[in-house]
Amino acid sequence: MPLHTQQSLSGFIASEPRLTVTDRGDTRFYAKIGQEHYHRNPDGSFTQLETTFHDLVLYRRTAERAHAAFSKGDKFVAEGYVHTYEYLNEFGQTKTGEEFVAKKIGHDTARTTYSVDRTPPSRDEASLDNGQIAAAEPERSTPAEGVSL
């Protein structure tokens, strides 16, 4: 069987995470995230370039767990995909936006000190996690909160 891979994203939480509910009734985590960029110099040193900012969303039980676990400034690594969508801005113009939809997220072990709780999840928690894998991708018709183009 081939190795299963997905897109990944690493960065830091740049805004206070928000937990809301979608029109479908799904829990939604939203945060503006930052990515630091570097250029490697010929002598092996690095020069920091401009930090870029993007939208990160998670849904359902993963959103609830992420909201409880992450705060502004936390460094993370996430697995998921980029979702591109169109929306009308305040001037009635059609614009394109994008957000990273994380299916899994965790603190960046290279940049975070933490302890691990290895207590097995309850049966209810385990069944919720398995059910979320087959859930359909949420649809977007408006820009992510905080997007300005």
Side-chain angles (χ1 to χ4, degrees), residues 17-30:
R18 288 183 279 182
L19 197 61
T20 59
V21 177
T22 67
D23 293 341
R24 292 181 174 177
D26 293 323
T27 306
R28 178 180 181 263
F29 170 102
Y30 169 82

Side-chain angles (χ1 to χ4, degrees), residues 13-129:
I13 306 291
S15 69
E16 288 298 332
R18 288 183 279 182
L19 197 61
T20 59
V21 177
T22 67
D23 293 341
R24 292 181 174 177
D26 293 323
T27 306
R28 178 180 181 263
F29 170 102
Y30 169 82
K32 185 67 76 176
I33 61 101
Q35 281 193 306
E36 297 171 333
H37 301 278
Y38 297 87
H39 171 75
R40 186 181 182 117
N41 300 314
D43 67 358
S45 65
F46 291 89
T47 300
Q48 186 168 2
L49 305 174
E50 185 175 339
T51 299
T52 59
F53 295 90
H54 311 276
D55 296 312
L56 172 72
V57 295
L58 297 96
Y59 292 93
R60 292 173 282 289
R61 183 72 175 143
T62 306
E64 295 169 16
R65 287 183 171 173
H67 191 259
F70 287 92
S71 298
K72 183 177 179 178
D74 286 355
K75 314 298 191 273
F76 71 91
V77 177
E79 173 185 278
Y81 59 94
V82 175
H83 175 234
T84 304
Y85 57 92
E86 290 186 351
Y87 66 96
L88 292 177
N89 70 6
E90 63 272 13
F91 304 110
Q93 301 166 319
T94 301
K95 295 286 185 177
T96 300
E98 70 178 10
E99 62 190 2
F100 191 82
V101 180
K103 294 181 178 182
K104 297 180 181 181
I105 189 168
H107 287 90
D108 184 342
T109 59
R111 299 169 41 176
T112 306
T113 302
Y114 62 95
S115 60
V116 176
D117 178 0
R118 290 191 171 82
T119 306
S122 70
R123 293 187 95 176
D124 291 340
E125 289 175 327
S127 66
L128 283 174
D129 287 344

